[in-house]
Amino acid sequence: MILGTVVIGVLMRGIHLAGALGRAVLPGLDVPDLVVPTLMVQLLLPLLAGIFLAAPLAAIMSTINAQLLQSSATIIKDLYLSLQPHQASNERRLKRISSLVTLVLGLLLLLAAWRPPEMIIWLNLLAFGGMEAVFLCPLVLGLYWERANAAGALSSMITGGASYAALAGFHLQPGGFHPIVMALALSLLAFLAGNRFGRRHRLLTEITRTAMPWIQLKITTTGQQADTLSDALTESGAVSVTFQDTHDVPVYEPLPGETRLWGDTDVIGLYDAATDMATVVDVLKAQPLLGENFSYKIEQLEDKDWEREWMDNFHPMRFGERLWICPSWRPVPDPQAVNVMLDPGLAFGTGTHPTTALCLQWLDGLDLRGKTVIDFGCGSGILAIAALKLGAAHVVGIDIDPQAILASRDNAQRNGVAERLALYLPQQQPQHLHADVVVANILVGPLRELAPLIIDLPRPGGALGLSGILASQAESVAQAYAAAFALDPVAENDEWCRITGTRR
């Protein structure tokens, strides 16, 4: 750090001294910004002059390129996608819009640089003045005036920026004042005027008191002790208790009624903000499982509209060329496409997981018109409903969880395909069941153990799609089906994969 400071200091002093003393060497220089490059060209060897001139020019160009890309990304992410969130998965359109925005910004930058000022520093001063005119009043009044609101801040930003640009652009100085003075005065007046029409916020103390209405207590324990500790937290006043993996180790889907936990598990209790946590800790110290010196972590949680927060995480998603999965609260991106309306619910499968996405893409690529399909492990019914929407004549859904059967039936009714979907628990499914297409998005253990049963479901020449498989497990699953199927190359998404093939 010391060496770097010395080097930077020498460079900065050398450049400034060269600019100040250059007039003594080249007295005819009238433009300050030409001093250093002219000295390099006239006093250094051509090779050295080229190197010293190319380095800052390359740095300037790379900085401009980075800023153009950053500006374009900001416009696309913060403006366009906030207005059109369903376009987040439309990569082709985003690329086109991003290229167009970058081109427009580049042309504007070229026009701005067409006739640059004699000293580049004037551009810096203009930029700093614009930032001050736009942000000074909103920042100061927003922080220290309790009556400030968004309408006042927005009015101030627009007025300050527009007035400064006009005054500086046309070299106007009313009353002899610099443009920044008048721009700040107009910005302040606009804040006060706009503030009268905006919604008045509560006092800061009220906001502080309501912004942190929950307290979270976290204790790390073992999977064997997690249930006992959960009971202790509930008895101490926790309104809810959740389990969380300490080391990010995946736990796969449990059987019905089974709670499968990690080796090291974080048990998290949620308490009302009015709870005396010192008393809670004293109560927990009396638990034989924890003892007097147990480790814990207490955090305050920000209040949110949790339903809205949850809903905002789900957007329409496209799989393949025709198929879209759309939550009911979002507009349908393409009414002419194959649209499955599906809300996240009690059963597994909304399209967000790579295994579901792999199966949906595979179904989209098949010609399902008039075909029969079996969805082995139907979950929410997303694959069965997608197959029906893609043209399948009839689909059979099978799942070991009665809750999944209910969810599949409800989702099928919502999509208007319930009459073509038959749903069974394993012990209720018809004997000698066969189909043209079989898809099984379950776990690797059942895929191997139930291979003889699944192999018998597709008709000769029928298609099979298997997922729920980690890429590292693909070979062992493929071996169980290779004798009966001509297998395709394995498709991968992140660490997950899909195995497909045709019945021999």
Side-chain angles (χ1 to χ4, degrees):
M1 181 180 291
I2 296 176
L3 179 60
T5 303
V6 172
V7 171
I8 294 298
V10 171
L11 290 175
M12 295 301 295
R13 287 179 179 273
I15 292 174
H16 284 82
L17 286 174
L21 302 178
R23 293 289 294 275
V25 180
L26 301 170
L29 285 175
D30 296 325
V31 181
D33 280 350
L34 293 179
V35 172
V36 172
T38 304
L39 286 172
M40 290 181 181
V41 171
Q42 295 192 11
L43 301 181
L44 296 178
L45 295 173
L47 178 61
L48 293 177
I51 294 174
F52 282 111
L53 285 174
L57 288 175
I60 292 171
M61 292 303 298
S62 64
T63 302
I64 294 298
N65 288 338
Q67 290 177 343
L68 277 174
L69 293 175
Q70 181 63 41
S71 301
S72 175
T74 300
I75 291 174
I76 297 298
K77 181 179 179 181
D78 295 339
L79 183 60
Y80 177 70
L81 288 181
S82 66
L83 298 175
Q84 301 286 333
H86 61 275
Q87 296 291 345
S89 60
N90 194 340
E91 294 186 6
R92 182 176 300 178
R93 174 170 290 187
L94 290 179
K95 287 179 180 178
R96 288 201 302 264
I97 296 176
S98 179
S99 299
L100 179 62
V101 170
T102 304
L103 176 62
V104 171
L105 292 176
L107 292 175
L108 292 175
L109 185 63
L110 182 62
L111 291 175
W114 196 261
R115 296 180 61 184
E118 292 184 349
M119 291 183 65
I120 302 299
I121 190 66
W122 296 125
L123 292 178
N124 292 342
L125 294 176
L126 182 68
F128 284 127
M131 292 176 61
E132 186 176 351
V134 172
F135 295 115
L136 181 63
C137 288
L139 283 174
V140 174
L141 295 177
L143 286 172
Y144 299 108
W145 188 29
E146 64 184 28
R147 293 175 175 268
N149 59 50
L154 188 60
S155 302
S156 175
M157 293 170 67
I158 295 174
T159 303
S163 60
Y164 180 74
L167 292 170
F170 293 101
H171 306 287
L172 303 176
Q173 294 185 349
F177 290 105
H178 190 279
I180 188 63
V181 178
M182 297 303 299
L184 285 174
L186 292 173
S187 175
L188 176 60
L189 292 175
F191 196 112
L192 297 176
N195 206 70
R196 296 178 61 87
F197 298 97
R199 182 181 176 183
R200 186 174 298 176
H201 287 273
R202 292 169 291 182
L203 294 175
L204 181 61
T205 53
E206 292 178 331
I207 295 174
T208 304
R209 189 165 56 244
T210 58
M212 294 289 185
W214 301 105
I215 300 175
Q216 175 178 282
L217 173 66
K218 181 187 294 186
I219 303 173
T220 300
T221 185
T222 64
Q224 293 79 10
Q225 298 176 335
D227 281 329
T228 304
L229 185 55
S230 171
D231 294 339
L233 292 179
T234 302
E235 293 173 1
S236 69
V239 296
S240 72
V241 178
T242 57
F243 301 132
Q244 181 177 296
D245 179 22
T246 304
H247 305 298
D248 196 25
V249 177
V251 166
Y252 304 112
E253 187 178 9
L255 295 172
E258 178 186 10
T259 302
R260 199 177 297 175
L261 294 173
W262 304 270
D264 290 331
T265 301
D266 291 334
V267 182
I268 303 170
L270 194 66
Y271 297 81
D272 186 89
T275 304
D276 182 358
M277 296 307 295
T279 302
V280 171
V281 172
D282 288 339
V283 170
L284 294 175
K285 286 180 179 179
Q287 293 287 332
L289 182 64
L290 296 173
E292 184 71 20
N293 299 314
F294 76 97
S295 298
Y296 61 91
K297 183 178 182 180
I298 294 178
E299 299 173 305
Q300 288 183 311
L301 298 182
E302 179 184 358
D303 190 23
K304 296 180 180 180
D305 184 345
W306 293 107
E307 182 178 3
R308 173 57 55 186
E309 185 88 0
W310 175 74
M311 292 173 67
D312 286 346
N313 289 328
F314 294 95
H315 303 277
M317 294 174 291
R318 184 179 181 181
F319 302 93
E321 296 297 323
R322 303 169 291 166
L323 182 62
W324 285 82
I325 306 298
C326 308
S328 61
W329 58 84
R330 299 282 188 186
V332 174
D334 183 2
Q336 304 304 317
V338 178
N339 294 299
V340 175
M341 308 305 296
L342 190 74
D343 295 340
L346 293 176
F348 176 82
T350 60
T352 57
H353 195 273
T355 60
T356 311
L358 285 166
C359 292
L360 290 169
Q361 291 164 359
W362 179 65
L363 289 173
D364 181 77
L366 298 177
D367 183 3
L368 297 178
R369 290 173 296 180
K371 302 287 182 64
T372 57
V373 179
I374 295 176
D375 183 1
F376 195 89
C378 56
S380 65
I382 183 172
L383 301 180
I385 296 168
L388 290 167
K389 289 269 192 168
L390 288 166
H394 183 71
V395 175
V396 174
I398 302 170
D399 204 289
I400 62 174
D401 187 359
Q403 189 67 62
I405 300 298
L406 293 175
S408 295
R409 182 174 292 113
D410 291 341
N411 288 325
Q413 290 173 350
R414 183 178 305 172
N415 284 274
V417 295
E419 70 279 4
R420 292 186 287 141
L421 175 63
L423 297 165
Y424 302 100
L425 294 170
Q427 61 271 23
Q428 299 171 343
Q429 72 183 65
Q431 294 182 349
H432 310 297
L433 184 62
H434 300 287
D436 302 302
V437 177
V438 176
V439 58
N441 181 25
I442 50 177
L443 303 176
V444 67
L447 284 176
R448 285 194 294 246
E449 296 165 8
L450 300 176
L453 173 62
I454 297 174
I455 287 172
D456 189 56
L457 294 176
R459 297 189 178 100
L464 175 69
L466 307 174
S467 195
I469 310 163
L470 290 170
S472 59
Q473 302 166 333
E475 185 176 355
S476 65
V477 176
Q479 289 176 355
Y481 293 82
F485 291 86
L487 298 180
D488 304 318
V490 174
E492 294 189 15
N493 185 345
D494 291 337
E495 59 180 346
W496 300 90
C497 72
R498 181 193 69 220
I499 298 173
T500 59
T502 304
R503 186 76 161 87
R504 298 182 192 276

